[in-house]
């Protein structure tokens, strides 16, 4: 699996996990709004990055074992 596909799958799983657990994305600390006042633009927090990279590592490890 190419890295682009892994990144796409990781992002999809990331958002599905947050939705499944009914997380309010902002209040849960996983993402925050951009400080520059850009409407609707967000960025990951350290907590969000940790979840994202954990999912990504699991996918990569799984793919290596195939």
């Amino acid at each position: 699996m190419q890295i682009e596909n892994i990144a796409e799958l990781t992002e999809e799983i990331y958002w599905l996990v947050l939705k499944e657990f009914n997380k309010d994305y902002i209040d849960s600390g996983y993402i925050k709004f951009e400080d520059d006042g850009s409407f609707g633009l967000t960025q990951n927090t350290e907590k969000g990055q940790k979840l994202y990279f954990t999912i990504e590592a699991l996918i990569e490890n799984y793919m290596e074992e195939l």
Side-chain angles (χ1 to χ4, degrees):
M1 181 176 275
Q2 296 177 351
I3 190 66
E4 296 86 18
N5 294 335
I6 292 173
E8 289 174 17
L9 181 57
T10 300
E11 186 171 340
E12 188 172 333
I13 292 170
Y14 174 84
W15 289 110
L16 288 173
V17 166
L18 292 181
K19 287 178 186 175
E20 180 66 28
F21 290 104
N22 296 317
K23 291 292 186 184
D24 179 329
Y25 309 130
I26 302 299
D27 290 339
S28 68
Y30 286 95
I31 62 173
K32 66 180 181 176
F33 284 110
E34 292 285 349
D35 291 334
D36 65 2
S38 302
F39 181 73
L41 296 179
T42 60
Q43 69 182 57
N44 272 329
T45 62
E46 185 175 329
K47 185 176 179 181
Q49 289 175 354
K50 182 176 180 182
L51 174 59
Y52 179 92
F53 290 123
T54 298
I55 294 168
E56 185 178 65
L58 287 169
I59 294 169
E60 289 174 344
N61 290 338
Y62 177 81
M63 296 308 295
E64 288 175 2
E65 293 178 11
L66 291 180

PDB file of all heavy atoms in Angstrom, residues 8-29:
ATOM      1  N   GLU A   8      -4.655   8.442   3.637  1.00  0.00           N
ATOM      2  CA  GLU A   8      -6.097   8.606   3.410  1.00  0.00           C
ATOM      3  C   GLU A   8      -6.894   7.697   4.337  1.00  0.00           C
ATOM      4  O   GLU A   8      -7.889   8.127   4.929  1.00  0.00           O
ATOM      5  CB  GLU A   8      -6.441   8.294   1.957  1.00  0.00           C
ATOM      6  CG  GLU A   8      -5.953   9.336   0.969  1.00  0.00           C
ATOM      7  CD  GLU A   8      -6.174   8.921  -0.473  1.00  0.00           C
ATOM      8  OE1 GLU A   8      -6.981   7.986  -0.719  1.00  0.00           O
ATOM      9  OE2 GLU A   8      -5.547   9.530  -1.353  1.00  0.00           O
ATOM     10  N   LEU A   9      -6.472   6.451   4.455  1.00  0.00           N
ATOM     11  CA  LEU A   9      -7.157   5.503   5.329  1.00  0.00           C
ATOM     12  C   LEU A   9      -7.044   5.943   6.788  1.00  0.00           C
ATOM     13  O   LEU A   9      -8.020   5.887   7.540  1.00  0.00           O
ATOM     14  CB  LEU A   9      -6.577   4.105   5.146  1.00  0.00           C
ATOM     15  CG  LEU A   9      -7.202   2.987   5.977  1.00  0.00           C
ATOM     16  CD1 LEU A   9      -8.699   2.881   5.732  1.00  0.00           C
ATOM     17  CD2 LEU A   9      -6.507   1.665   5.666  1.00  0.00           C
ATOM     18  N   THR A  10      -5.872   6.396   7.180  1.00  0.00           N
ATOM     19  CA  THR A  10      -5.670   6.868   8.548  1.00  0.00           C
ATOM     20  C   THR A  10      -6.606   8.022   8.863  1.00  0.00           C
ATOM     21  O   THR A  10      -7.248   8.044   9.920  1.00  0.00           O
ATOM     22  CB  THR A  10      -4.205   7.307   8.760  1.00  0.00           C
ATOM     23  OG1 THR A  10      -3.348   6.203   8.517  1.00  0.00           O
ATOM     24  CG2 THR A  10      -3.990   7.830  10.172  1.00  0.00           C
ATOM     25  N   GLU A  11      -6.698   8.986   7.955  1.00  0.00           N
ATOM     26  CA  GLU A  11      -7.568  10.140   8.188  1.00  0.00           C
ATOM     27  C   GLU A  11      -9.030   9.716   8.298  1.00  0.00           C
ATOM     28  O   GLU A  11      -9.757  10.193   9.174  1.00  0.00           O
ATOM     29  CB  GLU A  11      -7.401  11.151   7.055  1.00  0.00           C
ATOM     30  CG  GLU A  11      -8.156  12.429   7.317  1.00  0.00           C
ATOM     31  CD  GLU A  11      -7.831  13.528   6.320  1.00  0.00           C
ATOM     32  OE1 GLU A  11      -6.776  13.463   5.665  1.00  0.00           O
ATOM     33  OE2 GLU A  11      -8.649  14.443   6.210  1.00  0.00           O
ATOM     34  N   GLU A  12      -9.447   8.819   7.437  1.00  0.00           N
ATOM     35  CA  GLU A  12     -10.825   8.349   7.480  1.00  0.00           C
ATOM     36  C   GLU A  12     -11.131   7.657   8.811  1.00  0.00           C
ATOM     37  O   GLU A  12     -12.158   7.908   9.437  1.00  0.00           O
ATOM     38  CB  GLU A  12     -11.087   7.400   6.312  1.00  0.00           C
ATOM     39  CG  GLU A  12     -12.531   7.007   6.175  1.00  0.00           C
ATOM     40  CD  GLU A  12     -12.807   6.221   4.916  1.00  0.00           C
ATOM     41  OE1 GLU A  12     -12.066   6.380   3.916  1.00  0.00           O
ATOM     42  OE2 GLU A  12     -13.777   5.438   4.930  1.00  0.00           O
ATOM     43  N   ILE A  13     -10.226   6.790   9.249  1.00  0.00           N
ATOM     44  CA  ILE A  13     -10.413   6.096  10.522  1.00  0.00           C
ATOM     45  C   ILE A  13     -10.395   7.080  11.680  1.00  0.00           C
ATOM     46  O   ILE A  13     -11.202   6.985  12.614  1.00  0.00           O
ATOM     47  CB  ILE A  13      -9.349   4.996  10.710  1.00  0.00           C
ATOM     48  CG1 ILE A  13      -9.577   3.874   9.696  1.00  0.00           C
ATOM     49  CG2 ILE A  13      -9.369   4.442  12.136  1.00  0.00           C
ATOM     50  CD1 ILE A  13      -8.458   2.860   9.631  1.00  0.00           C
ATOM     51  N   TYR A  14      -9.492   8.044  11.640  1.00  0.00           N
ATOM     52  CA  TYR A  14      -9.377   9.066  12.690  1.00  0.00           C
ATOM     53  C   TYR A  14     -10.728   9.748  12.921  1.00  0.00           C
ATOM     54  O   TYR A  14     -11.218   9.842  14.048  1.00  0.00           O
ATOM     55  CB  TYR A  14      -8.308  10.082  12.280  1.00  0.00           C
ATOM     56  CG  TYR A  14      -8.159  11.275  13.186  1.00  0.00           C
ATOM     57  CD1 TYR A  14      -7.381  11.215  14.316  1.00  0.00           C
ATOM     58  CD2 TYR A  14      -8.784  12.486  12.889  1.00  0.00           C
ATOM     59  CE1 TYR A  14      -7.219  12.310  15.145  1.00  0.00           C
ATOM     60  CE2 TYR A  14      -8.636  13.592  13.710  1.00  0.00           C
ATOM     61  CZ  TYR A  14      -7.857  13.501  14.836  1.00  0.00           C
ATOM     62  OH  TYR A  14      -7.710  14.588  15.645  1.00  0.00           O
ATOM     63  N   TRP A  15     -11.335  10.237  11.824  1.00  0.00           N
ATOM     64  CA  TRP A  15     -12.612  10.942  11.956  1.00  0.00           C
ATOM     65  C   TRP A  15     -13.733  10.002  12.369  1.00  0.00           C
ATOM     66  O   TRP A  15     -14.609  10.378  13.160  1.00  0.00           O
ATOM     67  CB  TRP A  15     -12.954  11.678  10.671  1.00  0.00           C
ATOM     68  CG  TRP A  15     -12.060  12.857  10.461  1.00  0.00           C
ATOM     69  CD1 TRP A  15     -11.084  12.985   9.518  1.00  0.00           C
ATOM     70  CD2 TRP A  15     -12.026  14.061  11.241  1.00  0.00           C
ATOM     71  NE1 TRP A  15     -10.449  14.200   9.663  1.00  0.00           N
ATOM     72  CE2 TRP A  15     -11.005  14.877  10.709  1.00  0.00           C
ATOM     73  CE3 TRP A  15     -12.754  14.534  12.325  1.00  0.00           C
ATOM     74  CZ2 TRP A  15     -10.700  16.126  11.228  1.00  0.00           C
ATOM     75  CZ3 TRP A  15     -12.454  15.778  12.843  1.00  0.00           C
ATOM     76  CH2 TRP A  15     -11.433  16.563  12.306  1.00  0.00           C
ATOM     77  N   LEU A  16     -13.725   8.775  11.884  1.00  0.00           N
ATOM     78  CA  LEU A  16     -14.747   7.808  12.281  1.00  0.00           C
ATOM     79  C   LEU A  16     -14.654   7.468  13.761  1.00  0.00           C
ATOM     80  O   LEU A  16     -15.679   7.308  14.430  1.00  0.00           O
ATOM     81  CB  LEU A  16     -14.637   6.538  11.433  1.00  0.00           C
ATOM     82  CG  LEU A  16     -15.084   6.664   9.989  1.00  0.00           C
ATOM     83  CD1 LEU A  16     -14.756   5.390   9.217  1.00  0.00           C
ATOM     84  CD2 LEU A  16     -16.565   6.981   9.888  1.00  0.00           C
ATOM     85  N   VAL A  17     -13.438   7.353  14.285  1.00  0.00           N
ATOM     86  CA  VAL A  17     -13.253   7.078  15.713  1.00  0.00           C
ATOM     87  C   VAL A  17     -13.833   8.224  16.544  1.00  0.00           C
ATOM     88  O   VAL A  17     -14.586   7.993  17.495  1.00  0.00           O
ATOM     89  CB  VAL A  17     -11.760   6.866  16.055  1.00  0.00           C
ATOM     90  CG1 VAL A  17     -11.516   6.914  17.554  1.00  0.00           C
ATOM     91  CG2 VAL A  17     -11.270   5.546  15.480  1.00  0.00           C
ATOM     92  N   LEU A  18     -13.518   9.450  16.177  1.00  0.00           N
ATOM     93  CA  LEU A  18     -14.047  10.585  16.932  1.00  0.00           C
ATOM     94  C   LEU A  18     -15.573  10.641  16.851  1.00  0.00           C
ATOM     95  O   LEU A  18     -16.244  10.890  17.855  1.00  0.00           O
ATOM     96  CB  LEU A  18     -13.443  11.895  16.423  1.00  0.00           C
ATOM     97  CG  LEU A  18     -11.947  12.086  16.684  1.00  0.00           C
ATOM     98  CD1 LEU A  18     -11.494  13.441  16.146  1.00  0.00           C
ATOM     99  CD2 LEU A  18     -11.619  11.971  18.159  1.00  0.00           C
ATOM    100  N   LYS A  19     -16.121  10.385  15.671  1.00  0.00           N
ATOM    101  CA  LYS A  19     -17.581  10.396  15.515  1.00  0.00           C
ATOM    102  C   LYS A  19     -18.222   9.259  16.317  1.00  0.00           C
ATOM    103  O   LYS A  19     -19.271   9.446  16.945  1.00  0.00           O
ATOM    104  CB  LYS A  19     -17.962  10.273  14.044  1.00  0.00           C
ATOM    105  CG  LYS A  19     -17.695  11.526  13.261  1.00  0.00           C
ATOM    106  CD  LYS A  19     -18.054  11.334  11.799  1.00  0.00           C
ATOM    107  CE  LYS A  19     -17.645  12.551  11.000  1.00  0.00           C
ATOM    108  NZ  LYS A  19     -17.858  12.376   9.560  1.00  0.00           N
ATOM    109  N   GLU A  20     -17.620   8.085  16.279  1.00  0.00           N
ATOM    110  CA  GLU A  20     -18.176   6.923  16.978  1.00  0.00           C
ATOM    111  C   GLU A  20     -18.295   7.183  18.481  1.00  0.00           C
ATOM    112  O   GLU A  20     -19.245   6.757  19.121  1.00  0.00           O
ATOM    113  CB  GLU A  20     -17.310   5.686  16.728  1.00  0.00           C
ATOM    114  CG  GLU A  20     -17.798   4.429  17.402  1.00  0.00           C
ATOM    115  CD  GLU A  20     -19.135   3.931  16.875  1.00  0.00           C
ATOM    116  OE1 GLU A  20     -19.462   4.182  15.699  1.00  0.00           O
ATOM    117  OE2 GLU A  20     -19.852   3.269  17.656  1.00  0.00           O
ATOM    118  N   PHE A  21     -17.326   7.868  19.029  1.00  0.00           N
ATOM    119  CA  PHE A  21     -17.344   8.153  20.454  1.00  0.00           C
ATOM    120  C   PHE A  21     -17.992   9.494  20.764  1.00  0.00           C
ATOM    121  O   PHE A  21     -17.877  10.007  21.884  1.00  0.00           O
ATOM    122  CB  PHE A  21     -15.931   8.072  21.031  1.00  0.00           C
ATOM    123  CG  PHE A  21     -15.423   6.659  21.068  1.00  0.00           C
ATOM    124  CD1 PHE A  21     -14.508   6.208  20.146  1.00  0.00           C
ATOM    125  CD2 PHE A  21     -15.899   5.764  22.019  1.00  0.00           C
ATOM    126  CE1 PHE A  21     -14.054   4.894  20.163  1.00  0.00           C
ATOM    127  CE2 PHE A  21     -15.460   4.456  22.050  1.00  0.00           C
ATOM    128  CZ  PHE A  21     -14.534   4.020  21.118  1.00  0.00           C
ATOM    129  N   ASN A  22     -18.686  10.061  19.752  1.00  0.00           N
ATOM    130  CA  ASN A  22     -19.427  11.307  19.921  1.00  0.00           C
ATOM    131  C   ASN A  22     -18.577  12.418  20.519  1.00  0.00           C
ATOM    132  O   ASN A  22     -19.004  13.131  21.420  1.00  0.00           O
ATOM    133  CB  ASN A  22     -20.677  11.092  20.769  1.00  0.00           C
ATOM    134  CG  ASN A  22     -21.653  10.162  20.101  1.00  0.00           C
ATOM    135  OD1 ASN A  22     -21.896  10.264  18.893  1.00  0.00           O
ATOM    136  ND2 ASN A  22     -22.216   9.241  20.862  1.00  0.00           N
ATOM    137  N   LYS A  23     -17.357  12.522  20.040  1.00  0.00           N
ATOM    138  CA  LYS A  23     -16.461  13.551  20.544  1.00  0.00           C
ATOM    139  C   LYS A  23     -16.775  14.885  19.895  1.00  0.00           C
ATOM    140  O   LYS A  23     -16.952  14.973  18.689  1.00  0.00           O
ATOM    141  CB  LYS A  23     -14.997  13.199  20.252  1.00  0.00           C
ATOM    142  CG  LYS A  23     -14.482  12.028  21.030  1.00  0.00           C
ATOM    143  CD  LYS A  23     -14.394  12.371  22.478  1.00  0.00           C
ATOM    144  CE  LYS A  23     -13.749  11.282  23.297  1.00  0.00           C
ATOM    145  NZ  LYS A  23     -13.742  11.567  24.698  1.00  0.00           N
ATOM    146  N   ASP A  24     -16.883  15.909  20.707  1.00  0.00           N
ATOM    147  CA  ASP A  24     -16.928  17.273  20.193  1.00  0.00           C
ATOM    148  C   ASP A  24     -15.478  17.594  19.871  1.00  0.00           C
ATOM    149  O   ASP A  24     -14.643  17.699  20.752  1.00  0.00           O
ATOM    150  CB  ASP A  24     -17.472  18.227  21.252  1.00  0.00           C
ATOM    151  CG  ASP A  24     -17.501  19.662  20.769  1.00  0.00           C
ATOM    152  OD1 ASP A  24     -16.639  20.038  19.952  1.00  0.00           O
ATOM    153  OD2 ASP A  24     -18.373  20.400  21.215  1.00  0.00           O
ATOM    154  N   TYR A  25     -15.179  17.693  18.610  1.00  0.00           N
ATOM    155  CA  TYR A  25     -13.794  17.772  18.159  1.00  0.00           C
ATOM    156  C   TYR A  25     -12.998  18.871  18.846  1.00  0.00           C
ATOM    157  O   TYR A  25     -11.858  18.668  19.225  1.00  0.00           O
ATOM    158  CB  TYR A  25     -13.729  17.976  16.647  1.00  0.00           C
ATOM    159  CG  TYR A  25     -14.551  16.991  15.885  1.00  0.00           C
ATOM    160  CD1 TYR A  25     -15.442  17.400  14.923  1.00  0.00           C
ATOM    161  CD2 TYR A  25     -14.444  15.619  16.140  1.00  0.00           C
ATOM    162  CE1 TYR A  25     -16.199  16.482  14.218  1.00  0.00           C
ATOM    163  CE2 TYR A  25     -15.203  14.707  15.445  1.00  0.00           C
ATOM    164  CZ  TYR A  25     -16.077  15.137  14.486  1.00  0.00           C
ATOM    165  OH  TYR A  25     -16.826  14.246  13.795  1.00  0.00           O
ATOM    166  N   ILE A  26     -13.595  20.025  19.011  1.00  0.00           N
ATOM    167  CA  ILE A  26     -12.880  21.157  19.611  1.00  0.00           C
ATOM    168  C   ILE A  26     -12.762  20.965  21.125  1.00  0.00           C
ATOM    169  O   ILE A  26     -11.674  21.019  21.680  1.00  0.00           O
ATOM    170  CB  ILE A  26     -13.591  22.487  19.295  1.00  0.00           C
ATOM    171  CG1 ILE A  26     -13.693  22.697  17.778  1.00  0.00           C
ATOM    172  CG2 ILE A  26     -12.871  23.660  19.960  1.00  0.00           C
ATOM    173  CD1 ILE A  26     -12.377  22.772  17.039  1.00  0.00           C
ATOM    174  N   ASP A  27     -13.886  20.726  21.789  1.00  0.00           N
ATOM    175  CA  ASP A  27     -13.868  20.625  23.250  1.00  0.00           C
ATOM    176  C   ASP A  27     -13.131  19.399  23.760  1.00  0.00           C
ATOM    177  O   ASP A  27     -12.698  19.366  24.904  1.00  0.00           O
ATOM    178  CB  ASP A  27     -15.299  20.630  23.805  1.00  0.00           C
ATOM    179  CG  ASP A  27     -15.966  21.989  23.644  1.00  0.00           C
ATOM    180  OD1 ASP A  27     -15.242  23.000  23.481  1.00  0.00           O
ATOM    181  OD2 ASP A  27     -17.209  22.043  23.664  1.00  0.00           O
ATOM    182  N   SER A  28     -12.998  18.382  22.938  1.00  0.00           N
ATOM    183  CA  SER A  28     -12.319  17.162  23.386  1.00  0.00           C
ATOM    184  C   SER A  28     -10.808  17.314  23.379  1.00  0.00           C
ATOM    185  O   SER A  28     -10.103  16.486  23.923  1.00  0.00           O
ATOM    186  CB  SER A  28     -12.707  15.989  22.489  1.00  0.00           C
ATOM    187  OG  SER A  28     -12.179  16.175  21.187  1.00  0.00           O
ATOM    188  N   GLY A  29     -10.307  18.365  22.722  1.00  0.00           N
ATOM    189  CA  GLY A  29      -8.875  18.596  22.690  1.00  0.00           C
ATOM    190  C   GLY A  29      -8.151  17.917  21.542  1.00  0.00           C
ATOM    191  O   GLY A  29      -6.933  17.932  21.498  1.00  0.00           O
TER     192      GLY A  29
END
